Coordinates of all heavy atoms in Angstrom, one line a residue:
M1 N -93.2 -41.8 45.0 CA -92.9 -40.4 45.4 C -92.1 -39.7 44.3 O -91.1 -40.3 43.9 CB -92.2 -40.5 46.7 CG -92.1 -39.1 47.4 SD -91.3 -39.1 49.0 CE -92.1 -40.4 49.9
S2 N -92.5 -38.5 44.0 CA -91.8 -37.8 43.0 C -90.4 -37.3 43.5 O -90.2 -37.2 44.7 CB -92.6 -36.6 42.5 OG -92.7 -35.6 43.5
R3 N -89.6 -36.9 42.6 CA -88.3 -36.4 43.0 C -88.4 -35.1 43.8 O -87.6 -34.8 44.7 CB -87.4 -36.2 41.8 CG -87.1 -37.5 41.0 CD -86.2 -37.3 39.9 NE -84.9 -37.7 40.4 CZ -83.8 -37.5 39.7 NH1 -83.8 -36.9 38.6 NH2 -82.7 -37.9 40.2
R4 N -89.3 -34.3 43.4 CA -89.5 -33.0 44.1 C -90.0 -33.2 45.5 O -89.5 -32.6 46.5 CB -90.6 -32.1 43.4 CG -90.8 -30.8 44.0 CD -91.7 -29.9 43.2 NE -91.0 -29.6 41.9 CZ -90.9 -28.3 41.5 NH1 -91.4 -27.3 42.2 NH2 -90.2 -28.0 40.4
T5 N -90.9 -34.2 45.7 CA -91.4 -34.5 47.1 C -90.3 -35.0 47.9 O -90.2 -34.7 49.1 CB -92.6 -35.5 47.0 OG1 -93.6 -34.9 46.1 CG2 -93.2 -35.7 48.3
T6 N -89.5 -35.9 47.3 CA -88.3 -36.5 48.0 C -87.4 -35.4 48.4 O -86.9 -35.4 49.6 CB -87.6 -37.5 47.2 OG1 -88.6 -38.5 46.8 CG2 -86.5 -38.2 47.9
A7 N -87.1 -34.4 47.5 CA -86.2 -33.3 47.9 C -86.7 -32.5 49.0 O -86.0 -32.1 49.9 CB -86.0 -32.5 46.6
Y8 N -88.0 -32.2 49.0 CA -88.7 -31.4 50.0 C -88.6 -32.2 51.4 O -88.3 -31.6 52.4 CB -90.1 -31.1 49.7 CG -90.3 -30.0 48.7 CD1 -91.3 -30.0 47.8 CD2 -89.3 -29.0 48.5 CE1 -91.5 -29.0 46.9 CE2 -89.5 -28.0 47.6 CZ -90.6 -28.0 46.7 OH -90.7 -27.0 45.8
L9 N -88.8 -33.4 51.3 CA -88.7 -34.2 52.6 C -87.3 -34.2 53.1 O -87.1 -34.1 54.3 CB -89.2 -35.7 52.3 CG -89.2 -36.6 53.5 CD1 -90.2 -36.2 54.5 CD2 -89.5 -38.0 53.0
L10 N -86.3 -34.4 52.3 CA -84.9 -34.4 52.7 C -84.5 -33.0 53.3 O -83.8 -32.9 54.3 CB -84.0 -34.8 51.6 CG -84.1 -36.3 51.2 CD1 -83.2 -36.5 50.0 CD2 -83.7 -37.2 52.3
L11 N -85.0 -31.9 52.6 CA -84.8 -30.6 53.2 C -85.4 -30.4 54.5 O -84.9 -29.7 55.4 CB -85.3 -29.5 52.2 CG -84.5 -29.3 50.9 CD1 -85.2 -28.4 49.9 CD2 -83.1 -28.7 51.3
L12 N -86.6 -30.9 54.7 CA -87.3 -30.8 56.0 C -86.5 -31.6 57.1 O -86.3 -31.1 58.2 CB -88.7 -31.4 55.9 CG -89.5 -31.4 57.2 CD1 -89.8 -30.0 57.6 CD2 -90.8 -32.2 57.0
I13 N -85.9 -32.7 56.7 CA -85.1 -33.5 57.7 C -83.9 -32.7 58.1 O -83.5 -32.7 59.2 CB -84.8 -34.9 57.1 CG1 -86.1 -35.7 57.0 CG2 -83.7 -35.6 57.9 CD1 -85.9 -37.0 56.3
V14 N -83.2 -32.1 57.1 CA -82.0 -31.3 57.4 C -82.4 -30.2 58.2 O -81.6 -29.8 59.2 CB -81.4 -30.9 56.0 CG1 -80.3 -29.8 56.3 CG2 -80.8 -32.1 55.3
S15 N -83.5 -29.5 58.0 CA -83.9 -28.4 58.8 C -84.1 -28.8 60.3 O -83.8 -28.1 61.2 CB -85.1 -27.7 58.3 OG -84.9 -27.2 57.0
V16 N -84.7 -29.9 60.5 CA -85.0 -30.4 61.8 C -83.7 -30.8 62.5 O -83.5 -30.4 63.7 CB -85.9 -31.7 61.8 CG1 -86.0 -32.4 63.1 CG2 -87.3 -31.3 61.3
I17 N -82.7 -31.4 61.8 CA -81.4 -31.7 62.4 C -80.7 -30.4 62.8 O -80.2 -30.3 63.9 CB -80.6 -32.5 61.4 CG1 -81.2 -33.9 61.3 CG2 -79.1 -32.6 61.9 CD1 -80.5 -34.7 60.2
W18 N -80.7 -29.4 61.9 CA -80.0 -28.2 62.3 C -80.7 -27.4 63.4 O -80.1 -26.8 64.2 CB -79.9 -27.3 61.0 CG -78.7 -27.6 60.2 CD1 -78.7 -28.3 59.1 CD2 -77.4 -27.2 60.4 NE1 -77.5 -28.4 58.5 CE2 -76.6 -27.7 59.4 CE3 -76.8 -26.4 61.4 CZ2 -75.3 -27.5 59.3 CZ3 -75.4 -26.2 61.3 CH2 -74.7 -26.8 60.2
G19 N -82.0 -27.5 63.4 CA -82.8 -26.9 64.5 C -82.6 -27.5 65.8 O -82.6 -26.8 66.9
T20 N -82.4 -28.8 65.9 CA -82.1 -29.4 67.2 C -80.7 -29.4 67.6 O -80.3 -29.7 68.7 CB -82.7 -30.9 67.2 OG1 -82.0 -31.6 66.1 CG2 -84.1 -30.9 67.0
A21 N -79.8 -29.1 66.7 CA -78.3 -29.2 66.9 C -77.9 -28.2 68.0 O -77.1 -28.5 68.9 CB -77.5 -29.0 65.7
S22 N -78.4 -27.0 67.9 CA -78.0 -26.0 68.9 C -78.3 -26.3 70.3 O -77.4 -26.3 71.2 CB -78.6 -24.6 68.5 OG -78.2 -23.6 69.4
P23 N -79.6 -26.7 70.7 CA -79.8 -27.1 72.0 C -79.1 -28.3 72.5 O -78.7 -28.4 73.7 CB -81.3 -27.3 72.1 CG -81.9 -26.7 70.9 CD -80.8 -26.6 69.9
V24 N -78.9 -29.3 71.6 CA -78.1 -30.5 72.0 C -76.7 -30.1 72.3 O -76.1 -30.6 73.3 CB -78.2 -31.5 70.8 CG1 -77.3 -32.7 71.0 CG2 -79.7 -32.0 70.7
V25 N -76.1 -29.3 71.4 CA -74.7 -28.9 71.7 C -74.6 -28.2 73.0 O -73.7 -28.4 73.8 CB -74.1 -28.1 70.5 CG1 -72.8 -27.5 70.8 CG2 -74.0 -29.0 69.3
K26 N -75.5 -27.2 73.2 CA -75.4 -26.4 74.5 C -75.6 -27.3 75.7 O -74.9 -27.1 76.7 CB -76.5 -25.4 74.4 CG -76.4 -24.4 75.5 CD -77.5 -23.3 75.3 CE -77.3 -22.2 76.4 NZ -78.2 -21.1 76.2
Y27 N -76.5 -28.3 75.6 CA -76.7 -29.2 76.7 C -75.5 -30.1 77.0 O -75.1 -30.3 78.1 CB -77.9 -30.1 76.4 CG -78.3 -31.0 77.5 CD1 -78.9 -30.6 78.6 CD2 -78.1 -32.4 77.3 CE1 -79.3 -31.4 79.7 CE2 -78.5 -33.3 78.3 CZ -79.1 -32.8 79.5 OH -79.4 -33.7 80.5
T28 N -74.9 -30.7 75.9 CA -73.8 -31.6 76.1 C -72.5 -30.9 76.5 O -71.6 -31.5 77.1 CB -73.5 -32.4 74.8 OG1 -73.3 -31.5 73.7 CG2 -74.7 -33.3 74.5
L29 N -72.3 -29.6 76.2 CA -71.1 -28.9 76.5 C -71.0 -28.7 78.0 O -69.9 -28.3 78.5 CB -70.9 -27.6 75.8 CG -70.6 -27.8 74.3 CD1 -70.5 -26.4 73.6 CD2 -69.2 -28.6 74.1
Q30 N -72.0 -29.0 78.8 CA -72.0 -28.9 80.2 C -71.1 -30.0 80.8 O -70.5 -29.8 81.9 CB -73.4 -29.0 80.9 CG -74.3 -27.8 80.5 CD -75.7 -28.0 81.0 OE1 -76.0 -29.0 81.7 NE2 -76.5 -27.1 80.8
W31 N -71.0 -31.1 80.1 CA -70.2 -32.2 80.6 C -68.9 -32.5 79.9 O -68.0 -33.2 80.4 CB -71.1 -33.5 80.6 CG -72.2 -33.4 81.6 CD1 -72.1 -33.6 82.9 CD2 -73.6 -33.1 81.3 NE1 -73.4 -33.4 83.5 CE2 -74.3 -33.1 82.5 CE3 -74.3 -32.9 80.1 CZ2 -75.6 -32.9 82.6 CZ3 -75.6 -32.6 80.2 CH2 -76.3 -32.6 81.4
F32 N -68.9 -32.1 78.6 CA -67.7 -32.3 77.8 C -67.0 -31.1 77.4 O -67.6 -30.0 77.2 CB -68.1 -33.0 76.5 CG -68.6 -34.4 76.6 CD1 -70.0 -34.7 76.4 CD2 -67.8 -35.4 77.0 CE1 -70.5 -35.9 76.5 CE2 -68.3 -36.7 77.1 CZ -69.6 -37.0 76.9
D33 N -65.6 -31.2 77.3 CA -64.8 -30.1 76.8 C -65.2 -30.0 75.3 O -65.5 -31.0 74.6 CB -63.4 -30.5 77.0 CG -62.4 -29.4 76.5 OD1 -62.7 -28.2 76.9 OD2 -61.4 -29.7 75.8
P34 N -65.2 -28.8 74.7 CA -65.5 -28.6 73.3 C -64.7 -29.5 72.4 O -65.2 -30.0 71.4 CB -65.3 -27.1 73.0 CG -65.5 -26.5 74.4 CD -65.0 -27.5 75.4
W35 N -63.4 -29.6 72.7 CA -62.5 -30.4 71.8 C -62.9 -31.9 71.8 O -62.9 -32.5 70.7 CB -61.1 -30.2 72.2 CG -60.6 -28.9 71.9 CD1 -60.3 -27.9 72.8 CD2 -60.3 -28.3 70.6 NE1 -59.9 -26.7 72.1 CE2 -59.9 -27.0 70.8 CE3 -60.4 -28.8 69.3 CZ2 -59.6 -26.1 69.8 CZ3 -60.1 -27.9 68.3 CH2 -59.7 -26.6 68.5
I36 N -63.3 -32.4 72.9 CA -63.7 -33.8 73.0 C -65.0 -34.0 72.3 O -65.2 -35.0 71.6 CB -63.8 -34.2 74.5 CG1 -62.4 -34.2 75.1 CG2 -64.4 -35.6 74.6 CD1 -62.4 -34.5 76.6
F37 N -65.9 -33.0 72.5 CA -67.2 -33.1 71.8 C -67.0 -33.1 70.3 O -67.6 -33.9 69.6 CB -68.1 -31.9 72.2 CG -69.4 -31.8 71.5 CD1 -70.4 -32.7 71.8 CD2 -69.6 -30.9 70.5 CE1 -71.6 -32.6 71.2 CE2 -70.8 -30.9 69.8 CZ -71.8 -31.7 70.1
L38 N -66.2 -32.2 69.8 CA -65.9 -32.2 68.3 C -65.3 -33.4 67.8 O -65.6 -33.9 66.7 CB -65.1 -30.9 68.0 CG -65.8 -29.6 68.1 CD1 -64.9 -28.5 67.8 CD2 -67.0 -29.5 67.1
T39 N -64.4 -34.0 68.6 CA -63.7 -35.2 68.2 C -64.7 -36.3 68.1 O -64.8 -37.1 67.1 CB -62.6 -35.6 69.2 OG1 -61.7 -34.6 69.3 CG2 -61.9 -36.9 68.8
Y40 N -65.6 -36.5 69.1 CA -66.7 -37.5 69.0 C -67.6 -37.2 67.8 O -68.0 -38.2 67.1 CB -67.4 -37.6 70.3 CG -66.7 -38.3 71.4 CD1 -66.8 -37.8 72.7 CD2 -65.9 -39.4 71.2 CE1 -66.1 -38.4 73.7 CE2 -65.2 -40.0 72.2 CZ -65.3 -39.5 73.5 OH -64.6 -40.1 74.5
R41 N -67.9 -36.0 67.6 CA -68.9 -35.6 66.6 C -68.3 -36.0 65.2 O -69.0 -36.6 64.4 CB -69.2 -34.1 66.7 CG -70.1 -33.6 65.6 CD -70.3 -32.1 65.9 NE -70.9 -31.5 64.7 CZ -71.0 -30.2 64.6 NH1 -70.7 -29.4 65.6 NH2 -71.5 -29.7 63.5
F42 N -67.0 -35.6 65.0 CA -66.4 -35.9 63.7 C -66.2 -37.4 63.5 O -66.3 -38.0 62.4 CB -65.2 -35.1 63.5 CG -65.4 -33.7 63.2 CD1 -64.7 -32.7 63.9 CD2 -66.4 -33.2 62.4 CE1 -64.9 -31.4 63.8 CE2 -66.7 -31.9 62.2 CZ -65.9 -30.9 62.9
L43 N -65.9 -38.1 64.6 CA -65.7 -39.6 64.5 C -67.0 -40.3 64.1 O -67.0 -41.1 63.2 CB -65.2 -40.1 65.8 CG -65.0 -41.6 65.9 CD1 -63.9 -42.1 65.1 CD2 -64.8 -42.0 67.4
I44 N -68.1 -39.9 64.8 CA -69.4 -40.5 64.4 C -69.8 -40.2 63.0 O -70.2 -41.1 62.3 CB -70.4 -40.0 65.5 CG1 -70.1 -40.6 66.8 CG2 -71.8 -40.4 65.0 CD1 -70.9 -40.0 68.0
S45 N -69.6 -38.9 62.6 CA -70.0 -38.6 61.2 C -69.1 -39.3 60.2 O -69.6 -39.7 59.1 CB -69.9 -37.1 61.0 OG -68.6 -36.6 61.1
T46 N -67.8 -39.6 60.5 CA -66.9 -40.3 59.6 C -67.4 -41.8 59.5 O -67.4 -42.4 58.5 CB -65.5 -40.2 60.1 OG1 -65.1 -38.9 60.1 CG2 -64.6 -41.0 59.2
L47 N -67.7 -42.3 60.7 CA -68.2 -43.7 60.7 C -69.5 -43.9 59.9 O -69.8 -45.0 59.4 CB -68.3 -44.2 62.2 CG -67.0 -44.4 62.9 CD1 -67.3 -44.8 64.4 CD2 -66.1 -45.4 62.3
I48 N -70.3 -42.9 59.9 CA -71.5 -43.0 59.1 C -71.3 -42.8 57.6 O -71.8 -43.4 56.8 CB -72.6 -41.9 59.6 CG1 -73.0 -42.3 61.0 CG2 -73.7 -41.8 58.7 CD1 -73.9 -41.2 61.7
A49 N -70.3 -41.9 57.3 CA -70.1 -41.5 55.9 C -69.3 -42.6 55.1 O -69.5 -42.8 54.0 CB -69.4 -40.2 55.8
L50 N -68.3 -43.2 55.8 CA -67.5 -44.2 55.1 C -68.2 -45.4 54.5 O -68.0 -45.7 53.4 CB -66.3 -44.6 56.0 CG -65.2 -43.6 56.2 CD1 -64.1 -44.1 57.2 CD2 -64.6 -43.2 54.9
P51 N -69.1 -46.0 55.2 CA -69.9 -47.1 54.6 C -70.7 -46.6 53.4 O -70.8 -47.3 52.4 CB -70.7 -47.7 55.7 CG -70.1 -47.2 57.0 CD -69.4 -45.9 56.7
Y52 N -71.3 -45.4 53.5 CA -72.1 -44.9 52.4 C -71.2 -44.7 51.2 O -71.5 -45.0 50.1 CB -72.7 -43.6 52.8 CG -73.3 -42.9 51.7 CD1 -74.5 -43.3 51.1 CD2 -72.7 -41.8 51.1 CE1 -75.1 -42.7 50.0 CE2 -73.3 -41.1 50.0 CZ -74.4 -41.6 49.5 OH -75.0 -41.0 48.4
L53 N -70.0 -44.1 51.4 CA -69.1 -43.8 50.3 C -68.6 -45.1 49.7 O -68.5 -45.3 48.5 CB -67.9 -43.0 50.8 CG -68.2 -41.6 51.2 CD1 -66.9 -40.9 51.7 CD2 -68.7 -40.8 50.0
W54 N -68.4 -46.2 50.5 CA -68.0 -47.5 50.0 C -69.1 -48.1 49.2 O -68.9 -48.7 48.1 CB -67.5 -48.3 51.1 CG -67.0 -49.7 50.7 CD1 -65.8 -49.9 50.0 CD2 -67.7 -50.9 50.8 NE1 -65.7 -51.2 49.8 CE2 -66.9 -51.9 50.2 CE3 -68.9 -51.3 51.3 CZ2 -67.2 -53.2 50.1 CZ3 -69.3 -52.6 51.2 CH2 -68.4 -53.6 50.6
L55 N -70.3 -48.1 49.7 CA -71.5 -48.7 49.0 C -71.9 -48.0 47.8 O -72.3 -48.6 46.8 CB -72.7 -48.8 50.0 CG -72.6 -49.8 51.1 CD1 -73.7 -49.7 52.1 CD2 -72.5 -51.2 50.6
A56 N -71.7 -46.6 47.8 CA -72.0 -45.9 46.6 C -70.9 -45.9 45.5 O -71.1 -45.4 44.4 CB -72.3 -44.4 47.0
R57 N -69.8 -46.5 45.9 CA -68.7 -46.6 44.9 C -68.2 -45.3 44.4 O -68.1 -45.0 43.2 CB -69.0 -47.5 43.8 CG -69.5 -48.9 44.1 CD -68.4 -49.8 44.4 NE -68.8 -51.2 44.5 CZ -68.8 -51.9 45.6 NH1 -68.3 -51.3 46.7 NH2 -69.2 -53.1 45.7
V58 N -68.1 -44.3 45.4 CA -67.6 -43.0 45.0 C -66.2 -43.0 44.5 O -65.3 -43.6 45.1 CB -67.8 -42.1 46.2 CG1 -67.2 -40.7 45.9 CG2 -69.2 -42.0 46.6
K59 N -66.0 -42.4 43.4 CA -64.6 -42.3 42.8 C -63.9 -41.1 43.3 O -64.5 -40.0 43.1 CB -64.7 -42.3 41.3 CG -65.4 -43.5 40.7 CD -64.6 -44.8 40.9 CE -65.3 -45.9 40.1 NZ -65.3 -47.1 40.9
F60 N -62.8 -41.2 43.9 CA -62.0 -40.0 44.3 C -61.1 -39.6 43.2 O -60.6 -40.4 42.4 CB -61.3 -40.4 45.6 CG -62.2 -40.6 46.8 CD1 -62.5 -41.9 47.2 CD2 -62.7 -39.5 47.4 CE1 -63.3 -42.1 48.3 CE2 -63.6 -39.7 48.5 CZ -63.9 -41.0 48.9
P61 N -60.7 -38.3 43.2 CA -59.9 -37.8 42.1 C -58.5 -38.4 42.2 O -57.9 -38.7 43.3 CB -59.8 -36.3 42.4 CG -60.3 -36.1 43.8 CD -61.2 -37.3 44.1
K62 N -57.9 -38.6 41.0 CA -56.6 -39.2 40.9 C -55.5 -38.1 40.8 O -54.4 -38.4 41.2 CB -56.5 -40.1 39.7 CG -57.6 -41.2 39.7 CD -57.0 -42.4 40.3 CE -58.1 -43.5 40.1 NZ -58.3 -44.3 41.2
K63 N -55.8 -37.0 40.2 CA -54.8 -35.9 40.1 C -54.5 -35.2 41.4 O -55.4 -35.0 42.2 CB -55.3 -34.9 39.0 CG -55.5 -35.4 37.7 CD -55.9 -34.3 36.8 CE -56.6 -34.8 35.5 NZ -57.2 -33.7 34.8
T64 N -53.3 -34.8 41.6 CA -52.9 -34.1 42.8 C -53.6 -32.8 42.9 O -54.0 -32.4 44.0 CB -51.4 -33.9 42.8 OG1 -50.7 -35.2 42.6 CG2 -50.9 -33.3 44.2
A65 N -53.7 -32.1 41.8 CA -54.4 -30.8 41.9 C -55.9 -30.9 42.3 O -56.4 -30.1 43.1 CB -54.3 -30.1 40.5
D66 N -56.5 -31.9 41.8 CA -57.9 -32.2 42.1 C -58.1 -32.6 43.6 O -59.0 -32.2 44.3 CB -58.5 -33.3 41.2 CG -58.7 -32.8 39.8 OD1 -58.7 -31.6 39.6 OD2 -58.8 -33.7 38.9
T67 N -57.1 -33.4 44.1 CA -57.2 -33.8 45.5 C -57.0 -32.6 46.4 O -57.7 -32.5 47.4 CB -56.1 -34.9 45.7 OG1 -56.2 -36.0 44.8 CG2 -56.1 -35.4 47.2
S68 N -56.0 -31.7 46.1 CA -55.8 -30.6 46.9 C -57.1 -29.7 46.9 O -57.4 -29.1 47.9 CB -54.6 -29.8 46.5 OG -54.7 -29.4 45.2
L69 N -57.7 -29.6 45.8 CA -58.9 -28.8 45.7 C -60.1 -29.4 46.5 O -60.8 -28.6 47.2 CB -59.4 -28.6 44.2 CG -60.6 -27.7 44.0 CD1 -60.3 -26.3 44.4 CD2 -61.0 -27.8 42.5
V70 N -60.2 -30.7 46.5 CA -61.2 -31.4 47.3 C -60.9 -31.1 48.8 O -61.8 -30.8 49.6 CB -61.3 -32.9 47.0 CG1 -62.1 -33.6 48.0 CG2 -61.8 -33.1 45.6
L71 N -59.6 -31.2 49.2 CA -59.3 -31.0 50.6 C -59.6 -29.5 51.0 O -60.0 -29.3 52.1 CB -57.8 -31.3 50.8 CG -57.5 -32.8 50.8 CD1 -56.0 -33.0 50.9 CD2 -58.2 -33.5 51.9
L72 N -59.3 -28.6 50.1 CA -59.5 -27.2 50.4 C -61.0 -26.9 50.6 O -61.5 -26.3 51.6 CB -59.0 -26.3 49.3 CG -59.3 -24.8 49.4 CD1 -58.6 -24.2 50.6 CD2 -58.9 -24.1 48.2
V73 N -61.9 -27.5 49.7 CA -63.3 -27.3 49.8 C -63.8 -28.0 51.1 O -64.7 -27.5 51.8 CB -64.0 -27.9 48.6 CG1 -65.5 -27.9 48.7 CG2 -63.7 -27.0 47.4
S74 N -63.3 -29.2 51.5 CA -63.8 -29.8 52.7 C -63.4 -29.1 53.9 O -64.2 -29.1 54.9 CB -63.2 -31.3 52.7 OG -61.8 -31.2 52.9
V75 N -62.3 -28.4 53.9 CA -61.9 -27.6 55.1 C -62.9 -26.4 55.2 O -63.3 -26.0 56.3 CB -60.5 -27.1 55.0 CG1 -60.1 -26.1 56.0 CG2 -59.5 -28.3 55.2
L76 N -63.2 -25.8 54.1 CA -64.1 -24.6 54.2 C -65.5 -25.1 54.5 O -66.3 -24.4 55.1 CB -64.1 -23.9 52.8 CG -62.7 -23.3 52.5 CD1 -62.8 -22.7 51.1 CD2 -62.3 -22.2 53.5

């Protein structure tokens, strides 16, 4: 599979995830408080991201200025 086809496939998957997110969130907020829902959502995404970051051997910035910039971008 070419890189372009892979990119298009990944974009399609992201579009499907974003498209289904709104009905899922609306449905689940009937039973959960929004703060609890967000806590679970970020916990699950963190548990998925951390093994990927560990396996990909992602190097984090060592300088304090770079670290603060990364934190600022992640908040936005």
Side-chain angles (χ1 to χ4, degrees):
M1 190 178 311
S2 71
R3 297 183 99 189
R4 183 175 289 233
T5 306
T6 304
Y8 286 149
L9 180 64
L10 292 175
L11 285 172
L12 179 66
I13 291 170
V14 168
S15 297
V16 169
I17 290 171
W18 276 99
T20 58
S22 180
V24 168
V25 169
K26 189 173 184 177
Y27 182 73
T28 56
L29 286 178
Q30 295 175 1
W31 293 283
F32 292 110
D33 184 46
W35 292 107
I36 294 173
F37 176 77
L38 287 175
T39 302
Y40 285 140
R41 180 177 161 189
F42 290 133
L43 176 70
I44 290 169
S45 65
T46 301
L47 292 176
I48 291 170
L50 284 178
Y52 170 76
L53 293 173
W54 183 73
L55 288 173
R57 306 278 190 246
V58 174
K59 303 289 187 226
F60 292 103
K62 304 266 187 225
K63 297 182 201 171
T64 307
D66 292 342
T67 304
S68 61
L69 183 62
V70 168
L71 289 175
L72 176 67
V73 169
S74 65
V75 167
L76 296 177

